[in-house]
Amino acid sequence: MKRMDEMLEKDNVKNRSEFIEKALQFYMSYLNSEGATEYLSKVIVAAMQGLLRETESRHSGNLFRLSVEMSMMMNILAAGLEISDEDLRKLRGRCVNEVKKTKGKISIEEALKFQHGIEE
């Protein structure tokens, strides 16, 4: 009984009766191979959904922080550079193509070569 009481919170149940009911359902599913597969599939899916939610939340936060830093950098650069709208439009097109071609693996070395007119 003591071990069961310790597990109530871990299993997110309100009382012993609910815990016992879940334990019986699990054991009966275990005895019936089809039921065990069905039960374990639900448990695995629930665990994976939790992991995905956690990962999505972490990635969203990281993308937000990265976007803020990029915005700051772009504003600092824009304040110090004189570039025409036409040159900016051409550069954006080139950068879109470069990111697509390299799948996002861009380097400062390649940008410097382009800016100095050195293309391979």
Side-chain angles (χ1 to χ4, degrees):
M1 293 300 254
K2 182 179 176 187
R3 284 181 60 201
M4 180 175 29
D5 289 341
E6 291 170 357
M7 298 297 241
L8 293 178
E9 188 175 323
K10 188 174 186 175
D11 194 31
N12 198 27
V13 295
K14 296 177 185 112
N15 54 46
R16 289 177 180 171
S17 296
E18 191 176 346
F19 183 86
I20 292 168
E21 181 181 347
K22 285 179 78 174
L24 282 171
Q25 285 175 349
F26 177 80
Y27 186 66
M28 289 186 299
S29 294
Y30 172 77
L31 293 175
N32 179 355
S33 65
E34 275 185 42
T37 303
E38 181 181 318
Y39 179 79
L40 291 175
S41 295
K42 288 178 185 176
V43 170
I44 291 169
V45 167
M48 289 181 71
Q49 286 173 336
L51 287 171
L52 287 173
R53 276 191 299 274
E54 185 179 313
T55 301
E56 179 183 354
S57 177
R58 197 173 325 117
H59 284 311
S60 295
N62 287 337
L63 285 172
F64 179 80
R65 284 186 287 281
L66 180 61
S67 295
V68 169
E69 294 299 320
M70 288 292 298
S71 180
M72 290 173 59
M73 182 178 69
M74 291 173 84
N75 278 280
I76 290 167
L77 283 172
L81 297 177
E82 292 180 19
I83 188 167
S84 70
D85 288 344
E86 178 64 21
D87 287 341
L88 187 61
R89 188 183 61 72
K90 286 179 183 176
L91 180 60
R92 177 170 279 114
R94 182 191 183 286
C95 290
V96 167
N97 289 333
E98 181 182 7
V99 169
K100 283 180 182 178
K101 184 176 91 179
T102 64
K103 295 180 175 55
K105 294 179 182 176
I106 54 176
S107 71
I108 191 72
E109 291 85 5
E110 293 300 317
L112 283 170
K113 286 179 187 177
F114 173 76
Q115 293 301 321
H116 290 101
I118 307 168
E119 290 210 47
E120 296 175 8

